[in-house]
Every structure is written in structure tokens, then in C-alpha cells.
Amino acid sequence: AQALGRWLFGEYAQVESAGSNASSLHPVAVEVLREIGVSAPQNEIRHYDQLSPHFLDHLDYLILLCAEAQIPPLTSPHVQQL
């Protein structure tokens, strides 16, 4: 999600990605991204508690990719959950 978001929005948005369960990127997802010209890091997926407090305080949009995702309460007063 992070690689695709950064590819789509470039310098116009700060895109970060994290999950409710830290894990590894799925190799098929990495391959699909490469097919469309997006380079994805080979590192682990971060847990949401590794996102900076400053980023979370200024968050505009929260996009959940999994219906059962568990997220903490957010402090940003204007966050829109999509």
C-alpha cells in the first residue's frame, strides 16, 4: 500500500503504511507492483504503533484494507476513515 501510494501521489502526500499485525510483504504483491513499475521494499510491514506521533496527529485520511483491522484511537481531529 505504501509503495503504491507513494507512486501515485509522489511529493503531494506523505504516505505511510502499517498493519495491526507486523509481517512480511507477500511475494506476489511485490511482483505485481514490479509489473506496473512500482518498486516495493523487501522489508517487514511495520506495526501501526511504529508510526510517528507527529504523522498520526496530522493524519487526513486513514484507508483500511482489511475489514477486521484493529486500529488505535487517533488524535487527529479531522481524519477521515475510508
Side-chain angles (χ1 to χ4, degrees), residues 2 23-26 30 40-46:
Q2 179 174 309
S23 62
S24 298
L25 293 172
H26 194 286
V30 174
Q42 292 290 337
N43 57 354
E44 300 283 313
I45 297 171
R46 293 179 293 169

Side-chain angles (χ1 to χ4, degrees), residues 2-63:
Q2 179 174 309
L4 188 57
R6 288 180 176 175
W7 180 72
L8 288 170
F9 299 109
E11 63 184 52
Y12 297 106
Q14 181 181 354
V15 177
E16 299 290 339
S17 180
S20 55
N21 294 311
S23 62
S24 298
L25 293 172
H26 194 286
V28 174
V30 174
E31 181 62 30
V32 169
L33 288 170
R34 285 190 182 138
E35 287 177 7
I36 63 169
V38 177
S39 63
Q42 292 290 337
N43 57 354
E44 300 283 313
I45 297 171
R46 293 179 293 169
H47 190 268
Y48 59 73
D49 64 3
Q50 293 175 292
L51 295 171
S52 79
H54 182 267
F55 175 78
L56 293 173
D57 287 345
H58 295 87
L59 191 61
D60 293 319
Y61 296 98
L62 173 64
I63 302 170

Side-chain angles (χ1 to χ4, degrees), residues 59-64 71 74 76-82:
L59 191 61
D60 293 319
Y61 296 98
L62 173 64
I63 302 170
L64 297 176
I71 60 166
L74 298 171
S76 178
H78 56 276
V79 68
Q80 295 181 34
Q81 186 171 320
L82 305 175

